[in-house]
Amino acid sequence: MTGNTTIHRMPSYLEYEGKYKGILGWLLSTDHKRIALLYLYSQTFFFLAGVVMGIFMRLELIAPGQQLMQASTYNALFTVHGLTMIFLFIIPGLAASFGNFFLPILIGAKDVAFPKLNLFSWYLFIGGALIILLGMFTGDGPPDTGWTFYAPYSLRTNTNVVLSVLGAFVLGFSSVLTGLNFIVTIHRMRAPGMSFFKMPLFIWAMYGTSWIQLLATPVVGITLVMVIFDRVMGIGFFDPAKGGDPILYQHLFWIYSHPAVYIMILPAMGAITEIVTTFSNRVVFGYKAIALSSLAIAFVGYLVWGHHMFTSGMSETSRWVFSLLTFLVAIPSAIKVFNWSATMYKGSLDLQPPFWWAMAFMFVFMIGGLTGLVLGSVATDVHVHDTMFVVAHFHYIVFGGAGLAFFAALHYWFPKMWGRMYNKQIANIGLLIVFIGFNTLYFPMFILGIMGMPRRYYDYLPQFATPNYISTIGSWILGVGLIIVLVNLFRAKKASPEFIDNPWNGRTLEWEIQSPPSLENFEEIPVIERGPYDLKK
Amino acid sequence: MEQNSAIHATHEHYDPIGSKLGMWLFIFTEILLFGALFIVYSVYRYRHPVEFHLAHQELNVFIGFVNTVILLISSATVAMSITAMQKGDKKMTLILLGITLILAFVFLVNKYFEWGAKIHHGIYPGSEFLLSLSQGDILFFGLYFFMTGLHAIHIIVGMVLLGWVYVRVKQNRVNQERYVFLENGGLYWHLVDLIWIFLFPLFYLIH
Ligand code: HEM
Ligand SMILES: [Cu+2]
């Protein structure tokens, strides 16, 4: 099936030895593929840490009354869980790992435009993470503000807010530089013949993402610095006692943080597009619509931040305007879902594990998206605001959406990245368990939210007991599923290499080079003559 | 394998247009960073028009004016150094860069005296005296110190950057054929100048 005899094999990026050997060969490497793996491993580590915290929270919530921790511990736990998952796992997300690995390859380039800057971004990422970690173990204990750092509480609490905020600021820097690097790479380093409308759709998604990273992050960056100065020097930007306005903080925070949701989800959608196309064995349906919808999402995503503040005190007009704008984002998102379905329709489906992951993604993402409309309309939001409904919704989007896509991408590109294949049957079983666990864990939270259970509480009234109990059991199932999935991949990585340059019959550029790729990806820069998904003659 | 590493080692990617594009994008993010502060400024000015009006009279327009002129001249000298480099006049490039650095330093000295005077009068964030004033005063001076302070940090960053450019020019690593690093340093310096052009009227001039 694979025409590997024709490919002249070079030492792969994994074996290649440059100026430095051993661990330094990784920590000082400017090869985008090695940097991608550095991100991948650190992100996975943070993800697992976050999962452990999540499972502990669910354990506390298994029954009414205090189970294993005090209220203040719970507050710290959901804060650090949120910080870890959002800033250390899902915002760098697919962009930092798979984007770094495949963006240059998919446009036929040997590396990104600024390889050193790329490595520097990873160090900023790790630096930010270490600062946050430091904030957990020093001073007066981990922050308890929630990952949003809402003023004025974040100015008043005695916990270690400054370090967490500083860490988040450094992480923002890393994100900006990655976005900048990708934009320049896409503009300057496409292989000859690859016009914008011949780029694979994952690249379009990365392009939209990079612009959001660039345009939104500085605003929250400076806002976080203002919080630091409010705390350390008592300036009073957001302190009502000194004339500052906490609502202004919310505006500035969400001007970034809503677009950040699209930083998380756009690359995920891009990866899903690649997967759906490959396993449908068809040319993708509506190429331009998918490409432009990425930009549309990026653009409209800027205008909707106010939907987080319907209950914070806002004029009636701004409430319905923000509500309307929020509904508009559903259109480009739906375009993608429709086009994926249309691509599969009459395709000859190849039911491999990455495809099943993509299906799982579509299922939960649609639930997440539709419940997002409930939160986007003022009237219903007022009812479920700050309840478990919100917790369910955003886990469906960020975990069910971006998180599952992360695993889908991992299963899709795994053979390319390591030149090995995992056990497909175990991969499917693992996915099934994850999928069941996920829905058991989060679906009851929708019901709890509608019943009125508030979020961010370590205890609850007895009438909320049953759904909470089910939810906690779901967290165990999910945990088991994740272990199966990861162990399966880990074992595959250790297995002996195979010649699998193109195990899925993919048509984009990465499948035309050897697995794992050589240091420079292409010994000769390819000349692009056909569309990214056209069948080969 | 041996052979390969030799080939890879000599391979170097040089793209001046790409580098400049990168710098422009970065400058964009800096403008957005300050943009958020301008929003905060306008919101609070709108809330406390009278106090902001009175507080701004405390600032020394003369020093502000001198610093504006200094930055404008330094922007010109940086631009001229790029032209000199294009003409291959290394000595002139270094002189002009040197003047720019000196002017930047003078700016900081002025800032030091200006801030020093305020602090001497007990006006600084969190000071007892400031906290005894109205909310508008607290916010005005909070913004004043924060925004001009952030700008001063940008001056220092710019100086480090231009100092590095200076060394590179001296080593001939930046030369008539390859001077995008100098151009980028100049771009950054123009940004620093531009931001001041906004800060000066906002804090010193508007009535
Ligand atoms: C096994 C996996 C997970 C479990 C068991 C879990 C569980 C929880 C629980 C119980 C809460 C607190 C609800 C409350 O009391 O308000 C929570 C909050 C949160 N989770 Fe997760 N979660 C998991 C995975 C994730 C992932 C993958 C992400 C993001 C990618 C995520 C992001 C968040 C965020 C942002 C919060 C809000 C924190 C805050 O209120 O400040 N979680 N999670
Ligand atoms: Cu939002």
Side-chain angles (χ1 to χ4, degrees):
Chain A
M1 184 163 89
T2 52
N4 45 52
T5 38
T6 53
I7 298 183
H8 169 63
R9 299 204 88 82
M10 303 282 292
S12 79
Y13 77 103
L14 293 166
E15 318 154 325
Y16 174 81
E17 294 204 340
K19 232 189 316 178
Y20 305 96
K21 307 221 175 338
I23 186 83
L24 281 186
W26 286 82
L27 294 179
L28 298 175
S29 170
T30 52
D31 176 21
H32 67 101
K33 298 180 288 301
R34 287 199 169 190
I35 295 173
L37 291 196
L38 290 178
Y39 272 113
L40 186 69
Y41 294 143
S42 25
Q43 284 176 288
T44 311
F45 174 79
F46 296 132
F47 169 71
L48 291 176
V51 166
V52 171
M53 292 185 246
I55 288 178
F56 269 104
M57 280 190 281
R58 276 316 325 169
L59 219 53
E60 169 58 43
L61 294 175
I62 192 169
Q66 181 179 342
Q67 310 301 317
L68 36 111
M69 60 185 83
Q70 290 174 333
S72 56
T73 316
Y74 188 83
N75 292 349
L77 209 53
F78 74 67
T79 303
V80 178
H81 167 78
L83 281 175
T84 310
M85 286 300 198
I86 295 289
F87 290 115
L88 300 178
F89 170 55
I90 210 72
I91 287 189
L94 285 89
S97 46
F98 300 107
N100 247 320
F101 201 107
F102 289 105
L103 187 141
I105 298 180
L106 285 171
I107 61 173
K110 295 190 171 185
D111 207 324
V112 291
F114 309 116
K116 282 185 200 150
L117 190 69
N118 202 14
L119 181 65
F120 180 60
S121 303
W122 183 74
Y123 275 99
L124 283 177
F125 173 64
I126 291 299
L130 287 179
I131 296 176
I132 290 183
L133 201 69
L134 202 66
M136 287 166 57
F137 295 110
T138 58
D140 298 314
D144 60 352
T145 56
W147 75 279
T148 49
F149 304 116
Y150 269 11
Y153 183 69
S154 60
L155 308 178
R156 300 273 165 79
T157 168
N158 289 324
T159 54
N160 215 340
V161 174
V162 170
L163 281 179
S164 314
V165 172
L166 184 68
F169 175 76
V170 174
L171 292 170
F173 225 103
S174 159
S175 178
V176 167
L177 293 180
T178 303
L180 185 158
N181 214 338
F182 286 177
I183 292 178
V184 177
T185 307
I186 292 172
H187 273 279
R188 300 292 304 163
M189 299 183 69
R190 280 169 289 129
M194 182 174 282
S195 60
F196 258 74
F197 282 111
K198 278 191 183 154
M199 297 194 308
L201 288 163
F202 182 64
I203 304 297
W204 272 99
M206 290 303 311
Y207 189 61
T209 310
S210 302
W211 276 109
I212 309 177
Q213 287 177 308
L214 202 77
L215 297 182
T217 318
V219 176
V220 78
I222 196 66
T223 308
L224 296 178
V225 174
M226 283 190 259
V227 169
I228 296 181
F229 275 75
D230 265 8
R231 277 188 74 95
V232 176
M233 313 204 50
I235 291 189
F237 289 124
F238 304 123
D239 185 349
K242 295 175 183 162
D245 185 352
I247 305 277
L248 185 60
Y249 173 84
Q250 293 189 18
H251 279 294
L252 293 172
F253 181 82
W254 285 110
I255 285 174
Y256 162 77
S257 294
H258 188 84
V261 175
Y262 301 109
I263 298 179
M264 309 168 198
I265 202 73
L266 271 180
M269 291 170 147
I272 296 298
T273 307
E274 302 295 330
I275 295 170
V276 165
T277 312
T278 297
F279 293 100
S280 301
N281 286 306
R282 283 189 65 196
V283 176
V284 69
F285 180 87
Y287 172 91
K288 278 201 179 167
I290 298 187
L292 296 177
S293 67
S294 287
L295 296 189
I297 289 177
F299 177 71
V300 185
Y302 272 97
L303 308 176
V304 304
W305 78 87
H307 63 215
H308 294 266
M309 304 169 61
F310 286 152
T311 59
S312 314
M314 206 188 233
S315 77
E316 201 50 44
T317 317
S318 20
R319 290 215 261 172
W320 72 255
V321 169
F322 275 124
S323 190
L324 183 73
L325 287 169
T326 303
F327 275 51
L328 289 183
V329 192
I331 298 172
S333 308
I335 287 178
K336 299 216 191 233
V337 177
F338 290 141
N339 282 334
W340 292 329
S341 315
T343 306
M344 286 185 280
Y345 179 71
K346 283 193 179 166
S348 87
L349 300 183
D350 188 8
L351 304 178
Q352 303 279 358
F355 181 77
W356 288 122
W357 277 97
M359 288 305 98
F361 163 90
M362 275 172 70
F363 182 84
V364 291
F365 182 70
M366 280 196 317
I367 296 182
L370 293 175
T371 52
L373 293 178
V374 175
L375 296 168
S377 6
V378 180
T380 39
D381 178 66
V382 170
H383 180 65
V384 291
H385 180 83
D386 261 346
T387 64
M388 280 309 216
F389 190 92
V390 177
V391 178
H393 157 72
F394 71 64
H395 279 95
Y396 266 88
I397 291 288
V398 289
F399 190 179
L404 290 192
F406 190 85
F407 284 104
L410 193 55
H411 283 85
Y412 180 53
W413 278 315
F414 188 94
K416 178 55 62 184
M417 296 166 84
W418 284 284
R420 288 157 170 80
M421 185 54 93
Y422 44 84
N423 182 321
K424 294 183 190 169
Q425 210 165 357
I426 300 185
N428 285 335
I429 294 172
L431 164 64
L432 188 65
I433 299 179
V434 165
F435 184 74
I436 293 172
F438 182 90
N439 288 293
T440 321
L441 168 58
Y442 296 116
F443 201 80
M445 293 190 192
F446 283 124
I447 297 164
L448 283 169
I450 292 172
M451 287 165 73
M453 176 174 161
R455 64 189 278 212
R456 295 180 168 174
Y457 280 70
Y458 86 123
D459 192 11
Y460 50 80
L461 298 172
Q463 67 258 37
F464 301 132
T466 313
N468 267 305
Y469 185 71
I470 298 174
S471 172
T472 300
I473 294 190
S475 74
W476 301 336
I477 303 176
L478 178 60
V480 171
L482 286 174
I483 292 173
I484 294 176
V485 169
L486 290 175
V487 168
N488 186 35
L489 292 177
F490 190 74
R491 278 183 43 207
K493 193 177 157 284
K494 296 269 165 211
S496 53
E498 300 169 46
F499 287 103
I500 37 172
D501 291 332
N502 189 359
W504 318 123
N505 266 325
R507 275 163 270 152
T508 33
L509 274 180
E510 80 272 39
W511 303 112
E512 290 181 10
I513 59 175
Q514 65 175 49
S515 302
S518 66
L519 177 71
E520 301 220 306
N521 307 339
F522 305 92
E523 298 320 309
E524 230 172 282
I525 293 292
V527 176
I528 312 298
E529 275 150 5
R530 56 191 175 85
Y533 305 104
D534 295 350
L535 294 161
K536 259 175 270 182
K537 283 152 277 169
Chain B
M1 188 83 197
E2 287 286 284
Q3 228 179 353
N4 278 332
S5 3
I7 296 171
H8 295 311
T10 52
H11 168 78
E12 194 198 347
H13 173 75
Y14 178 70
D15 176 12
I17 298 180
S19 302
K20 256 205 285 197
L21 179 59
M23 195 65 200
W24 273 108
L25 291 174
F26 184 69
I27 284 177
F28 230 55
T29 68
E30 291 269 23
I31 291 175
L32 284 164
L33 187 104
F34 275 93
L37 285 170
F38 289 135
I39 291 175
V40 174
Y41 176 94
S42 24
V43 168
Y44 290 151
R45 184 175 184 101
Y46 173 77
R47 298 246 175 104
H48 308 275
V50 180
E51 288 102 320
F52 266 54
H53 172 71
L54 294 176
H56 101 87
Q57 293 178 344
E58 297 289 317
L59 298 186
N60 188 328
V61 181
F62 180 69
I63 295 195
F65 173 72
V66 170
N67 267 350
T68 308
V69 174
I70 289 175
L71 278 190
L72 284 173
I73 297 175
S74 71
S75 242
T77 50
V78 158
M80 282 152 70
S81 78
I82 298 171
T83 318
M85 187 86 276
Q86 285 166 336
K87 289 187 179 150
D89 189 343
K90 179 177 160 187
K91 201 169 144 217
M92 198 57 184
T93 310
L94 289 174
I95 293 176
L96 287 164
L97 272 177
I99 298 178
T100 311
L101 284 168
I102 293 169
L103 288 171
F105 184 71
V106 175
F107 179 96
L108 287 179
V109 172
N110 278 341
K111 190 100 259 159
Y112 171 79
F113 283 116
E114 191 191 353
W115 273 30
K118 292 275 156 325
I119 293 170
H120 187 71
H121 287 111
I123 300 179
Y124 54 90
S127 78
E128 239 170 85
F129 175 67
L130 187 57
L131 290 182
S132 70
L133 302 180
S134 74
Q135 291 186 337
D137 286 303
I138 299 176
L139 290 173
F140 179 86
F141 285 107
L143 282 164
Y144 164 75
F145 277 104
F146 190 76
M147 291 173 80
T148 57
L150 193 66
H151 178 258
I153 291 176
H154 279 77
I155 295 259
I156 295 170
V157 172
M159 285 172 77
V160 172
L161 189 63
L162 288 181
W164 187 12
V165 174
Y166 188 95
V167 174
R168 284 291 178 101
V169 174
K170 218 162 179 179
Q171 296 167 335
N172 283 328
R173 307 254 307 263
V174 168
N175 52 44
Q176 194 174 4
E177 274 77 48
R178 289 190 166 205
Y179 54 86
V180 66
F181 188 42
L182 171 62
E183 278 185 303
N184 280 346
L187 275 178
Y188 190 81
W189 194 252
H190 293 322
L191 166 82
V192 173
D193 186 25
L194 178 78
I195 292 172
W196 180 257
I197 297 294
F198 282 95
L199 291 182
F200 178 54
L202 276 187
F203 282 105
Y204 295 80
L205 297 184
I206 294 182
H207 283 271

